[in-house]
Amino acid sequence: MRSERRLGRLFWKLLFAIVMSMVLAISAMTGYLYLTGHEAPPPPEGMPMWGPVPVVPFLAVTGAVLLISLLFAWYLSRPLRHLSWAMDRFAEGRLDTRVGPLMSGRRDEIADLAHDFDRMAARIEQLAQANRALMHDISHELRSPLTRLQAAIGLLQQDPAQAVAMIERIMLESERLDMLIEELLTLHRLDAGPNGVPQQRIDVIELLQAIADDADFEARASQRTLCLDASGSFVIVAHGELVYRAFENVIRNALKFSPPGSRIEVDARIAEGGRMLVTTVQDRGPGVPAGMLQAIFEPFTRVEGSESVSGTGLGLAIARRAMLLHGGTVEATLREGGGLVVTLALPVRN
């Protein structure tokens, strides 16, 4: 009701402003005739007069001014009333509210504002749905290790002879919880934007070489190899830790899903005249269904058959958000002959 009264006041203000503009125009013309010594043309014989003012022309002009003023004030205030109605509904939590269809085909600044509102509402609704889904997934992911912890504690209480095995299980589940919480905090920081976190100049190719050296050392223990093909330097100003996490998560993800005896190939090339670093990570793992090439970058997305692979389900989601934060992109395609190709494009930003 408050918004309706406010729009009502706007309607009457517009009406008053238009009427007063007409009155001032007539007054200005009368003053001009008076100051210049001109006389107004005499009215026709028999014309009813109200003092010096002919009644019929006065009533016709007044009626026309009021009608035009009413129509114009209604035309301007009606879409604003719709916008106020939509904002009230949105504030009540009805995130599916849209005001564009109520604009009746208008093509002006108010219609542009309505479409901007609809885009904002759609984005907020999408984020709210994603947040609800994420909270559901988080509760599920946290419940699983907690359930196993409780089971291990219960077995330990029932049979103290299993103390060593149960303590190892408790330590393992505690480490998984710690890793999951750390990944969740990183994901939250990326979504919120790392405000206040200083940026520094980093050589991304040097960073890639460090990641590849560590990953290759671990890969050889499981009969896998990792080969990096990169040269030169690519220096940018960025959040070094987040860029490191993006590349490390993608490379380690390829390492986890590659079968023994296979090779993971990492290729980094400087493109666009030194303004872009394009890195591809290729593996010979099981790949993913074609319809999930985008979904694997969402939190807690699981591909059928990957349940036995350890991980939090957040690595690729963190990689994508870190790349987007720096103006880059990450995408996945199926590799010919089997496997997955993940391409990361990181630009130089001024």
Side-chain angles (χ1 to χ4, degrees):
M1 295 299 295
R2 185 180 64 229
S3 63
E4 291 181 3
R5 290 197 297 270
R6 183 173 66 251
L7 289 175
R9 290 197 298 269
L10 176 62
F11 174 85
W12 293 114
K13 286 177 182 179
L14 288 171
L15 179 61
F16 177 76
I18 297 170
V19 170
M20 288 304 300
S21 66
M22 295 296 182
V23 171
L24 288 174
I26 294 172
S27 300
M29 178 58 68
T30 303
Y32 171 78
L33 293 175
Y34 176 78
L35 292 174
T36 57
H38 293 82
E39 294 184 1
E45 282 189 31
M47 173 73 67
M49 301 292 291
W50 181 34
V53 179
V55 174
V56 174
F58 176 77
L59 292 177
V61 170
T62 302
V65 168
L66 286 175
L67 178 61
I68 293 173
S69 301
L70 284 168
L71 290 175
F72 186 65
W74 175 84
Y75 178 78
L76 289 179
S77 62
R78 184 168 178 266
L80 295 178
R81 189 183 297 270
H82 290 322
L83 277 170
S84 180
W85 167 82
M87 290 178 182
D88 286 342
R89 282 176 56 90
F90 200 79
E92 293 171 359
R94 302 179 184 180
L95 303 184
D96 60 341
T97 302
R98 302 293 183 269
V99 72
L102 302 177
M103 290 295 107
S104 304
R106 294 176 66 108
R107 295 184 179 180
D108 54 21
E109 287 79 0
I110 298 178
D112 291 342
L113 180 61
H115 293 312
D116 289 340
F117 172 86
D118 285 352
R119 284 195 295 271
M120 177 200 71
R123 179 58 177 162
I124 291 176
E125 183 181 20
Q126 179 185 4
L127 291 174
Q129 291 174 349
N131 186 62
R132 286 193 293 268
L134 180 61
M135 292 304 296
H136 175 271
D137 291 338
I138 289 173
S139 63
H140 173 75
E141 294 294 329
L142 287 174
R143 189 179 296 117
S144 297
L146 285 174
T147 300
R148 291 191 291 268
L149 276 172
Q150 291 171 348
I153 293 172
L155 290 172
L156 180 59
Q157 290 173 336
Q158 294 174 11
D159 186 4
Q162 300 185 40
V164 175
M166 291 303 102
I167 289 174
E168 288 179 354
R169 168 58 69 173
I170 290 172
M171 292 178 61
L172 175 63
E173 298 301 336
S174 298
E175 290 174 359
R176 287 176 176 173
L177 272 175
D178 183 65
M179 183 185 304
L180 178 59
I181 292 170
E182 181 184 354
E183 298 281 70
L184 285 171
L185 290 174
T186 301
L187 190 67
H188 172 73
R189 184 173 58 175
L190 285 167
D191 285 339
N195 297 323
V197 179
Q199 298 188 10
Q200 63 265 17
R201 291 175 60 85
I202 59 172
D203 187 339
V204 182
I205 290 181
E206 182 179 320
L207 180 145
L208 270 172
Q209 290 171 341
I211 296 172
D213 288 343
D214 291 341
D216 183 56
F217 178 78
E218 297 175 17
R220 292 183 184 279
S222 55
Q223 293 80 50
R224 302 174 179 88
T225 58
L226 187 140
C227 177
L228 171 65
D229 184 5
S231 59
S233 64
F234 186 77
V235 179
I236 62 172
V237 177
H239 300 281
E241 178 190 352
L242 298 180
V243 173
Y244 183 93
R245 291 290 295 276
F247 285 100
E248 183 188 40
N249 287 354
V250 171
I251 291 174
R252 290 190 180 277
N253 191 73
L255 185 61
K256 283 192 300 185
F257 287 95
S258 295
S262 63
R263 187 170 81 160
I264 298 93
E265 299 175 6
V266 182
D267 180 85
R269 292 285 179 268
I270 299 174
E272 298 185 9
R275 303 291 300 175
M276 180 80 70
L277 179 68
V278 179
T279 305
T280 58
V281 180
Q282 305 181 70
D283 63 52
R284 286 298 182 188
V288 300
M292 294 190 66
L293 289 173
Q294 291 295 327
I296 59 174
F297 294 102
E298 295 298 329
F300 301 116
T301 298
R302 301 289 187 183
V303 180
E304 185 177 354
S306 65
E307 293 83 1
S308 59
V309 180
S310 63
T312 62
L314 294 171
L316 292 182
I318 289 173
R320 184 176 72 170
R321 282 163 170 76
M323 294 299 291
L324 290 175
L325 180 68
H326 292 90
T329 60
V330 58
E331 60 182 18
T333 56
L334 297 177
R335 187 179 185 186
E336 186 177 352
L340 201 65
V341 179
V342 179
T343 303
L344 305 98
L346 184 64
V348 174
R349 294 198 299 176
N350 297 326

